[in-house]
Structures are given as C-alpha cells and as structure tokens.
Amino acid sequence: MDTDALDATFSALADPTRRAILARLAAGEATVTELAAPFAMSQPAISKHLRVLERAGLVTRGRDAQRRPCRLAAEPLREATAWLADYRDYWAESYQRLDALLDDLQRGGTESRAR
C-alpha cells in the first residue's frame, strides 16, 4: 500500500469541511457553487479544500460544457478502509480475549480471587 497516498487521504479527511464535501459528493456530482452553498465560506475557500481532496485522489473534476462538476473518487477511501481493517481485526481479537478472561473470572467466582 502506498504510504504517501494513505497519508494524503488521512490528511484530507482530517478536516470537517472536507469530510462534509465528500459526504455531499457521495450523493452525486456537484459544482463548486453547489458545494459552497451550505458553508459560511467563499468559493475560493471551498476551491482550496477541493484541491486538497483532488491531491489525495478523493475528488475528480470533469467538464460538461461550461460546468466543471466534481465527483467522488472512492478508491483512496477503499485503501484507507483496508488499512484500518487490520486494526479492527486486532481490536476484535483483543475484545475476544477480554471476554474469555471475564468469563473465566465469573465462572471461578471467589475461587479465582482467593489465588
């Protein structure tokens, strides 16, 4: 897995405005004007966020006559999810061991505490 791409993905996802933009794009393509509408910021500020998302490979811009719609590019999210899955598996195993230990302690009752 490309660590530079992973770093760029997580860096882009660190900002709540960029996460909101991605959530909006998950519903379908949108122009910069449409993306800027719900935010109390200028179109140039939204464009800066979009450039970060583009550099991370999370957003692409097309051309449709005069429009330049933005689209979600999900592959970097898939790669980040795959990376996180290893840690999800680690925590699942840890919780299973903890559950087993708690079961042993409950079955042992006072006998386990006497040791």
Side-chain angles (χ1 to χ4, degrees):
M1 186 172 297
D2 180 6
T3 58
D4 289 339
L6 193 60
D7 291 347
T9 298
F10 283 120
S11 179
L13 293 173
D15 185 273
T17 300
R18 291 192 287 267
R19 290 192 305 271
I21 290 170
L22 290 176
R24 167 54 186 88
L25 291 175
E29 67 180 36
T31 64
V32 175
T33 304
E34 292 167 338
L35 291 170
F39 300 102
M41 63 178 68
S42 66
Q43 282 185 341
I46 292 293
S47 291
K48 286 181 182 181
H49 284 293
L50 285 170
R51 280 194 294 279
V52 172
L53 292 168
E54 282 182 293
R55 279 195 301 271
L58 293 164
V59 168
T60 62
R61 291 196 207 197
R63 193 174 292 279
D64 181 17
Q66 299 270 329
R67 290 181 72 231
R68 292 201 59 205
C70 299
R71 293 179 187 87
L72 177 66
E75 184 58 32
L77 292 173
R78 188 175 298 117
E79 291 173 9
T81 300
W83 183 83
L84 289 168
D86 292 338
Y87 293 93
R88 182 181 56 229
D89 294 344
Y90 166 79
W91 285 109
E93 291 171 14
S94 296
Y95 286 131
Q96 287 173 354
R97 286 192 306 271
L98 180 59
D99 285 343
L101 175 63
L102 291 173
D103 286 345
D104 286 347
L105 290 173
Q106 287 175 344
R107 272 186 262 135
T110 56
E111 182 180 312
S112 294
R113 283 184 244 136
R115 291 184 197 168

